[in-house]
C-alpha cells in the first residue's frame, strides 16, 4: 500500500468545502434578496409568485 501524502487528500476536501460553501452562500444571499424584495414590493412579488405557481401547476 503506497503512502498518500496529506496534500493529496487535502486538495479534494478543500475543493468540496469551497464549492459547497459557495453554493450555500449563494442560497443564503438569494434568500435575503428575495425577502428584502418581498418586503419592499409586496404586490409585484405576489404576482410573480402567482405566475410561477400557475406555470408549475
Amino acid at each position: 500500500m503506497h503512502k498518500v501524502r496529506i496534500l493529496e487528500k487535502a486538495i479534494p476536501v478543500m475543493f468540496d468545502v469551497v464549492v459547497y460553501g459557495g453554493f450555500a452562500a449563494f442560497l443564503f444571499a438569494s434568500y435575503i434578496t428575495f425577502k428584502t424584495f418581498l418586503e419592499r414590493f409586496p404586490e409585484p412579488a405576489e404576482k410573480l409568485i402567482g405566475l410561477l405557481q400557475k406555470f408549475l401547476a
Side-chain angles (χ1 to χ4, degrees):
M1 196 170 171
H2 72 89
K3 262 187 162 176
V4 178
R5 293 188 318 194
I6 293 176
L7 189 59
E8 290 176 6
K9 288 183 182 180
I11 290 176
V13 172
M14 290 187 315
F15 177 79
D16 288 345
V17 167
V18 169
V19 169
Y20 292 127
F23 183 65
F26 169 74
L27 288 179
F28 182 69
S30 298
Y31 171 75
I32 297 295
T33 303
F34 181 72
K35 193 172 177 182
T36 305
F37 177 75
L38 192 60
E39 288 175 1
R40 288 187 183 183
F41 309 105
E43 291 181 23
E46 288 175 7
K47 287 181 184 178
L48 285 174
I49 292 171
L51 284 173
L52 181 64
Q53 287 175 344
K54 286 179 184 177
F55 178 74
L56 294 176

